[in-house]
Amino acid sequence: MVSRVIPVEPFDLVIFGGTGDLAKRKILPGLYRRFIAGQMPANSQIVGAARADLDTDGYRALARAAIEEFVAKDKQDEAQIAAFLATLNYTSIDATGINGWSALRTLMRPGMVSAFYFSVAPSLFGAIAERLHEHGIANPDSRIVVEKPFGRDLATAKALNAVLADHFTEGQIYRIDHYLGKETVQNLMAVRFANILFEPIWKAQYIDNVQITVGETVGVEGRGAYYDKSGAMRDMVQNHMMQLLCLIAMEPPYKFDPNAVRDEKLKVIRALDPVQPADIVRGQYLAGGGQGGYIEHSENPASKTESYIAMKVGISNWRWMGTPFYLRTGKRLRSRASEIAVTFKAPPHSIFGMSDSMHENVLVIRLQPDEGMTLTVMIKEPGPGGMRLTEVPLDMSFAEALGADHADVPDAYERLIMDVIRGNQTLFMRGDEVEAAWAWTDPIIQGWEARGDKPKGYDPGSAGPDDALMLLHRDGRRWRDIR
Ligand code: NAP
């Protein structure tokens, strides 16, 4: 087995919003895990920046608490935590003010890779980008990392791109979609492009349909005000599910290079058909199981925001004409399970004369709860009694198949932050990709807003609204049963 970890150079990473929820839950714990894995050079420096009046000791205490809460207990080693905390500094800065910037400039070390994580509201991106330049803190090789949501429609995404482009080149901007940092999602590319097996039949002629499911059991408790302005379409489909769809549908890039991969993804987005109202089902979870419904969690008692969406999407190009892509995602569903299922067509003729026992092969790429892949194949049922066929899974759970050395795969955020330091943009969205995704999404949202469409109620713990079943029934198909 070939194993090659590309080393990371020592770096200065500034986290604007370093005291916020994302920094505490993902960024700081992720950096600590890379540190103990030996991937973060000890002479690297992490600088937290926010308005809170903390000193460096106070910030280290905040980071320690975050590690204790969000890192697995068996990874918490006192000596390692102390060594990691020693790499942390803090500067109190108001993104829109004048104080703190010269202190930050003093902390930055010339000649180091420098990265700035904008873990703050997008309304602050412009102010931070401007001040990083005004105070001579960023250089032409510095990288900036920005989070979702990247706009709420095409106009706002364009405005954000323009604000960033005023101070940074596209090659310096890392737009995070953490789904792209998932091990299985990258494996999808490996399976497609490092094996001869699948690519010749990866087309409408042999693939009956593709289903992409992202199911959550949690609701929007505590985030109702934010979610009400977003909904499942903006929160999940426009970004995460669109990225998954692109990786399944794209043509082979000429090499595994950031722009080659992103060019191919962009072509997929541009080939997406407009979605007709009859091909979309929106849902909103009702009260049940002792918990309030979406409406109780929203600040708007008449909210029409969808907590569930299912849709049928077509791609008008030579490879995919005629193969539907069915997407569904929702909150308070029966299971927290996410997968991509590629269903191949049944063989055209059964030599066994048992056509009803001929099943389609299905390649399932599981993202959650346990990452892995399964391919169902037909075999002969063992034993006497003639030729009877049965379906069996060829199962590949990554942790099991690759052994202990690979069982501890990095979390998506860890991998992506290290890619920023390495200067590798392959797993980050390019500005034109984001804009193309919004250009496809906008008319869909505008359509239901203009019609005043209301989402259908669905029971918590169910598979979503009944109408979503019809979306496939009318095509003679059904959703995969996900548990
Ligand atoms: P948050 O908990 O509200 O934290 C915001 C951070 O920004 C705090 O550290 C806050 O500290 C700082 N901040 C606010 N105003 C500032 C100013 N004027 N100058 C400097 N710092 C300021 O938000 P979050 O959940 O961490 O989210 C951060 C970003 O990540 C947002 O864009 C969000 O959409 C995105 N995101 C978050 C998650 C998540 O799981 N949390 C997931 C995906 C994307 P002070 O108040 O002390 O200044």
Side-chain angles (χ1 to χ4, degrees), residues 15-27 49-54 59 62 90-97 101 117-125 127-128 146-150 176 178 223 226 235 240 413:
I15 312 171
F16 290 102
T19 58
D21 178 65
L22 185 69
K24 288 192 278 199
R25 278 193 314 111
K26 293 288 180 188
I27 307 173
R51 289 169 305 180
D53 185 20
L54 288 176
Y59 191 58
L62 176 146
Y90 181 81
T91 328
S92 176
I93 281 187
D94 183 342
T96 57
W101 296 97
Y117 203 126
F118 291 13
S119 184
V120 292
S123 56
L124 297 175
F125 290 0
I128 296 176
V146 294
E147 271 293 339
K148 85 168 203 189
F150 200 85
I176 285 219
H178 70 275
R223 293 175 62 232
Y226 159 78
D235 194 46
H240 307 313
Y413 271 95

